[in-house]
Amino acid sequence: MSQLSERRGFHMDQSELLCKKGCGFFGNTAWHGLCSKCWREENQKSRQKQIQEDWELAAILQKESYTSRHQRAQSTITPFRHFVERQTKEVRTFAEKQTKEVIRFFTSYTKLPPKRDLHPVVTQPWPSIDTDHNTQEFIDFLKPLKSGREIFKKCLAFTKSMVYKRHLGVDELSECVQDFYQNVSEYLHAQFEGPSDDIESIMDKVEKYMMIRLYEEVFCPDTTDDEKNDLTIQKRIKALHWVTIEMLCVPVDEDIPEVSDSVVEAIIDVNEIDSKRVPKDKLACITRCSKHILKAIKSTKKEAGSADDFLPTLIYIMLKANPPRLFSNIQYITRFCNPSRLLTGEDAYYFTNLCCAVAFIEKIDGQSLNLCSEDFELYISGQASPQQPQAIETSVASLGNTALSKAHERLNLLTELGVQQEQVMEGAQKLESDLIDWTDGVEHEVQEHMHRFSSETPEPITAPGTSAIDYDVAENVGSDLLPPPLQPQVFDG
């Protein structure tokens, strides 16, 4: 099976990443190539159209239902109709009279305070709540702002209201969050007089506060197929483990230590996406990964990489990393990220490239890897590998012989090691015996010397009533080298 002589390249034009409507913002595959702004507009138009159609259908059904009921009523008129109508009117009149009398009785003896006095407004600098670290951080950030208290009230009320919307689908929840982002942004532009960068920083804090509180409810909800798609992509990437740098035409040389370090850092960053809760933090991981990829390309080519270099390298990094819950994280960013961040900037650019890389992995074929379809199917099914491109069914015998020969080699090696081990054990036992004999011989020799020394030394002979020390003194007095002993002298007083 031969490889193809021509291959489909990884050319990625800048225009392919932009919105299909030509608004100049970055598009997204999840939004059918539209940006977040155009997607919301199209979605709202379709929703309004659907609502209008539902209203028209409801009016038609109501009219038909009324006509049918009226016809049935006309066909079943009885002589008692006037009697029933008269009785009903009398009962209604009596009930209204009794109701007025009861109201007059209670209002004449009960004086209620005005409605505005029932719940007097108590001005507090901040709502008294049991705050966690995230909430306290958000409050500390908003305190210096003039409208900070109002922003906090809006965010707190919205997050509490989301608890009662669990029955809604994830698309409806996303629409609610996006509408809230838009309302807060419009409020800030109307009330806040600072630069736009300050407004963006406030929106970042709003997003962080909200999404940390709502993360468990909106990330990979049970009402979606996100978990199923995660497993599908994960299995797909595992099946493509054999894809090499040469197949993808990746301009990266991992033999260079600096390039290898950048590749490792990129893999770490892309795997860190799942550990973050805030969409902005997840985008930051994608941006860091992309910058490490560009650094690896530059270290290899000694020049800045292009878009045609970046995309295949990103695909290669994704195949090596196989990030956990990749589809869920992309959907989470798409649904609940601040929409302005996905329109322009490096975060939007790198996120769009990541979506393109995932779409390419899902639709990868033999032509994109310079392989014929037969080889590609064998490789992806695990029946063969690029290093040994033969089917398992045709190579079972050779693989069995190879395994048997390796088993014999290892068995012989184990036998030799066993013989060597026995020799070592014998030498160790002999050494232990020699050490014991040497220790016993030294101890015996020491005992003999001590016994011989004690037998050769004569015992001193002492007179009765004297001690050995007196004997020594008497012996020393006789020596000519010593002075005469001192004689006692009489002191006459």
Side-chain angles (χ1 to χ4, degrees):
M1 290 176 251
S2 60
Q3 293 182 336
L4 299 176
S5 58
E6 297 181 358
R7 65 171 299 163
R8 183 172 61 199
F10 284 88
H11 177 68
M12 176 61 68
D13 192 1
Q14 185 74 12
S15 60
E16 298 179 15
L17 302 177
L18 299 179
C19 178
K20 290 183 178 180
K21 282 200 168 184
C23 61
F25 297 128
F26 288 107
N28 193 330
T29 55
W31 296 324
H32 306 291
L34 300 177
C35 65
S36 60
K37 181 180 178 181
C38 296
W39 171 254
R40 281 176 55 82
E41 293 177 354
E42 292 293 330
N43 194 19
Q44 289 177 357
K45 289 181 181 179
S46 62
R47 287 171 56 190
Q48 292 176 358
K49 183 179 179 181
Q50 184 65 34
I51 292 173
Q52 184 66 25
E53 293 177 354
D54 293 342
W55 274 105
E56 294 176 356
L57 180 60
I60 294 173
L61 294 176
Q62 185 177 7
K63 185 178 180 180
E64 293 178 353
S65 177
Y66 174 77
T67 303
S68 62
R69 287 199 307 269
H70 182 69
Q71 291 176 353
R72 288 196 303 270
Q74 290 295 331
S75 62
T76 59
I77 292 178
T78 64
F80 296 96
R81 182 186 63 181
H82 298 290
F83 174 78
V84 173
E85 290 178 355
R86 186 171 62 254
Q87 293 294 328
T88 303
K89 183 177 180 180
E90 291 177 358
V91 171
R92 185 182 299 111
T93 304
F94 178 78
E96 291 176 355
K97 184 178 180 180
Q98 293 295 326
T99 302
K100 290 180 180 178
E101 290 294 328
V102 172
I103 293 174
R104 188 182 303 110
F105 175 80
F106 281 99
T107 55
S108 61
Y109 293 95
T110 306
K111 295 183 179 180
L112 296 176
K115 186 175 181 180
R116 60 177 178 273
D117 296 332
L118 291 175
H119 302 285
V121 178
V122 180
T123 304
Q124 295 181 357
W126 291 97
S128 178
I129 59 174
D130 187 12
T131 59
D132 54 6
H133 176 72
N134 177 45
T135 305
Q136 188 62 46
E137 182 182 355
F138 187 51
I139 292 176
D140 295 339
F141 174 80
L142 294 177
K143 276 184 177 180
L145 303 180
K146 182 179 179 180
S147 57
R149 182 173 57 188
E150 188 65 24
I151 296 173
F152 180 78
K153 288 182 179 179
K154 289 178 178 292
C155 296
L156 182 62
F158 178 78
T159 53
K160 287 184 177 181
S161 67
M162 289 291 287
V163 177
Y164 303 99
K165 299 179 181 180
R166 296 177 179 176
H167 63 282
L168 298 178
V170 67
D171 294 332
E172 288 79 5
L173 295 177
S174 173
E175 193 69 21
C176 293
V177 173
Q178 297 298 330
D179 290 340
F180 181 77
Y181 284 150
Q182 185 175 357
N183 294 334
V184 174
S185 179
E186 293 175 354
Y187 174 80
L188 291 175
H189 282 88
Q191 300 291 332
F192 195 70
E193 299 178 356
S196 59
D197 293 340
D198 294 340
I199 295 178
E200 288 298 324
S201 63
I202 296 174
M203 291 299 300
D204 291 342
K205 293 295 183 179
V206 170
E207 179 192 79
K208 179 179 179 181
Y209 169 74
M210 288 175 45
M211 298 319 301
I212 288 180
R213 294 175 66 90
L214 301 176
Y215 181 81
E216 300 295 338
E217 301 293 335
V218 300
F219 182 83
C220 192
D222 297 335
T223 57
T224 63
D225 295 332
D226 292 350
E227 185 176 0
K228 179 180 178 181
N229 293 327
D230 287 333
L231 296 175
T232 302
I233 294 179
Q234 190 175 22
K235 292 180 180 178
R236 178 71 172 178
I237 293 177
K238 285 183 178 179
L240 295 170
H241 67 91
W242 46 268
V243 177
T244 61
I245 289 180
E246 294 75 17
M247 294 179 181
L248 293 171
C249 294
V250 176
V252 168
D253 186 4
E254 291 189 273
D255 293 334
I256 303 175
E258 184 179 359
V259 175
S260 178
D261 294 340
S262 298
V263 170
V264 172
E265 292 294 334
I267 294 174
I268 293 174
D269 289 331
V270 77
N271 279 323
E272 195 177 357
I273 297 175
D274 191 57
S275 64
K276 304 298 181 182
R277 288 175 171 252
V278 185
K280 179 186 175 183
D281 297 338
K282 292 180 181 292
L283 286 174
C285 294
I286 298 173
T287 302
R288 290 196 302 269
C289 170
S290 302
K291 289 183 176 181
H292 284 302
I293 289 174
L294 294 175
K295 182 180 179 181
I297 296 173
K298 185 176 181 180
S299 300
T300 302
K301 298 181 63 176
K302 306 304 179 183
E303 61 181 5
S306 61
D308 295 337
D309 297 329
F310 174 73
L311 182 59
T313 310
L314 178 60
I315 294 171
Y316 175 70
I317 293 297
M318 300 301 293
L319 293 177
K320 290 195 68 174
N322 197 0
R325 299 195 291 186
L326 180 59
F327 183 85
S328 294
N329 283 287
I330 292 177
Q331 291 297 318
Y332 177 73
I333 295 172
T334 302
R335 293 164 180 160
F336 302 104
C337 182
N338 184 2
S340 61
R341 191 173 294 108
L342 298 180
L343 295 176
T344 58
E346 60 179 8
D347 287 347
Y349 175 76
Y350 294 134
F351 179 69
T352 304
N353 277 273
L354 177 65
C355 295
C356 293
V358 175
F360 177 84
I361 292 173
E362 292 177 342
K363 299 178 181 179
I364 194 171
D365 56 9
Q367 186 178 0
S368 58
L369 299 176
N370 197 23
L371 297 172
C372 62
S373 59
E374 292 81 4
D375 288 345
F376 179 79
E377 292 299 329
L378 288 175
Y379 298 160
I380 200 170
S381 63
Q383 297 180 0
S385 62
Q387 292 76 17
Q388 189 178 2
Q390 293 180 356
I392 293 178
E393 289 81 359
T394 60
S395 59
V396 172
S398 60
L399 291 176
N401 294 332
T402 303
L404 186 60
S405 61
K406 289 183 177 180
H408 283 297
E409 292 178 359
R410 292 177 181 177
L411 183 61
N412 295 331
L413 180 61
L414 288 174
T415 304
E416 295 178 359
L417 291 176
V419 174
Q420 294 179 3
Q421 185 179 7
E422 292 179 357
Q423 295 177 354
V424 170
M425 291 299 297
E426 292 178 357
Q429 292 177 358
K430 185 176 183 303
L431 178 60
E432 183 180 5
S433 177
D434 294 340
L435 287 174
I436 293 173
D437 295 341
W438 178 79
T439 302
D440 295 340
V442 170
E443 184 178 359
H444 181 70
E445 187 176 357
V446 170
Q447 292 293 337
E448 289 182 351
H449 284 289
M450 291 179 64
H451 181 70
R452 187 169 59 251
F453 177 77
S454 60
S455 61
E456 292 178 355
T457 303
E459 293 291 337
I461 301 174
T462 58
T466 62
S467 62
I469 192 170
D470 296 330
Y471 176 78
D472 293 336
V473 171
E475 291 292 332
N476 293 333
V477 170
S479 176
D480 296 336
L481 299 178
L482 296 176
L486 296 178
Q487 296 295 328
Q489 298 180 1
V490 179
F491 182 64
D492 55 359

